[in-house]
Amino acid sequence: MTEARTTVKKTASTRKPAAPKSAAKKPAEESAKPEAAEAVEPKAEETAKPETEPGQDAKFAVVALRKFNDKRTGDLRKPGDVFEVTQERFDEILAAGEFVEKQ
């Protein structure tokens, strides 16, 4: 059996309503008022990223002990190559084998 497909032609009643044109004028009006601009700007304290726990994103240098393909970066690491990794990535590499050591 085959099912007949019907297409619905979009008409004015089925289309999404357009964005109101007055919304585009509001930012221009607000920027003309200096006191409104000050109230809108976020403070540096509010935009700063929250501090992560120590050691979570800290990177440190490691030395490649054997030749291996770094799956995260796609680089071929050769013995003696020095590169930076996070503790999490260091643990991942060591789980696969003894490929790196801390410098």
Side-chain angles (χ1 to χ4, degrees), residues 14-80:
T14 60
R15 290 187 189 140
K16 291 182 180 178
K21 293 181 181 179
S22 61
K25 294 181 182 179
K26 284 187 177 183
E29 292 172 5
E30 289 178 0
S31 64
K33 299 177 185 177
E35 61 273 0
E38 291 175 26
V40 175
E41 290 182 26
K43 296 179 181 177
E45 298 166 355
E46 296 172 359
T47 59
K49 292 182 181 179
E51 290 186 30
T52 57
E53 293 184 25
Q56 232 180 12
D57 289 329
K59 290 189 174 188
F60 53 90
V62 294
V63 179
L65 300 176
R66 299 187 327 194
K67 186 177 178 179
F68 73 98
N69 186 21
D70 191 338
K71 292 183 179 181
R72 281 235 180 132
T73 63
D75 295 336
L76 180 64
R77 305 290 186 183
K78 298 175 186 166

Side-chain angles (χ1 to χ4, degrees), residues 60 68-74 83-95 100:
F60 53 90
F68 73 98
N69 186 21
D70 191 338
K71 292 183 179 181
R72 281 235 180 132
T73 63
F83 57 101
E84 289 187 343
V85 295
T86 61
Q87 182 65 46
E88 178 185 2
R89 181 64 182 138
F90 180 73
D91 294 339
E92 287 175 8
I93 295 171
L94 286 182
V100 294

